[in-house]
Amino acid sequence: MEVLTPQMYYVLLVLHQPMHGYEIMNEITKITNGEINVGAGTLYTLLPKFEKECYIQLIKVENNKKIYQITNLGKKKLQKERMLKQISYLDQIGG
């Protein structure tokens, strides 16, 4: 999979705890102080993509809401993205 967009990154980040779609969108808005918003269209396109890539897994369906959580592979992807962001930052400041 490609380098993650900010929306993709934060979807994976908040899924360290099980959540359904609406909770995911609200949590991203909350932890980014409103700087990153993930709309329903974006989110519901990303979730099956991430599930197919094995970055997240559907853990249960509760009241017709699908609840997802990040997998070990998803955690590795996040870790890789963090390293890439750090390298990019160091390149920008001349480090």
Side-chain angles (χ1 to χ4, degrees):
M1 183 179 242
E2 72 276 5
V3 173
L4 299 178
T5 65
Q7 290 82 0
M8 296 164 98
Y9 178 84
Y10 282 104
V11 167
L12 288 179
L13 184 66
V14 300
L15 283 174
H16 281 282
Q17 49 188 324
M19 292 186 189
H20 60 72
Y22 186 70
E23 291 174 315
I24 294 168
M25 291 185 287
N26 285 339
E27 188 65 15
I28 292 169
T29 300
K30 179 180 158 189
I31 68 170
T32 65
N33 296 315
E35 289 187 29
I36 304 289
N37 290 300
V38 178
T42 300
L43 181 65
Y44 293 111
T45 300
L46 288 177
L47 291 175
K49 184 177 182 178
F50 282 165
E51 196 173 10
K52 184 179 177 186
E53 297 283 337
C54 298
Y55 292 154
I56 64 170
Q57 64 183 359
L58 175 65
I59 57 170
K60 64 182 169 181
V61 177
E62 207 173 76
N63 299 323
N64 289 329
K65 295 176 182 174
K66 293 181 178 180
I67 299 179
Y68 295 94
Q69 189 165 17
I70 194 168
T71 63
N72 285 333
L73 185 61
K75 290 175 185 176
K76 288 178 184 175
K77 179 66 174 171
L78 267 181
Q79 192 172 31
K80 181 179 176 186
E81 287 292 316
R82 282 188 190 120
M83 285 191 291
L84 289 173
K85 288 181 189 313
Q86 288 172 349
I87 290 168
S88 175
Y89 176 73
L90 289 174
D91 286 345
Q92 289 174 9
I93 63 170

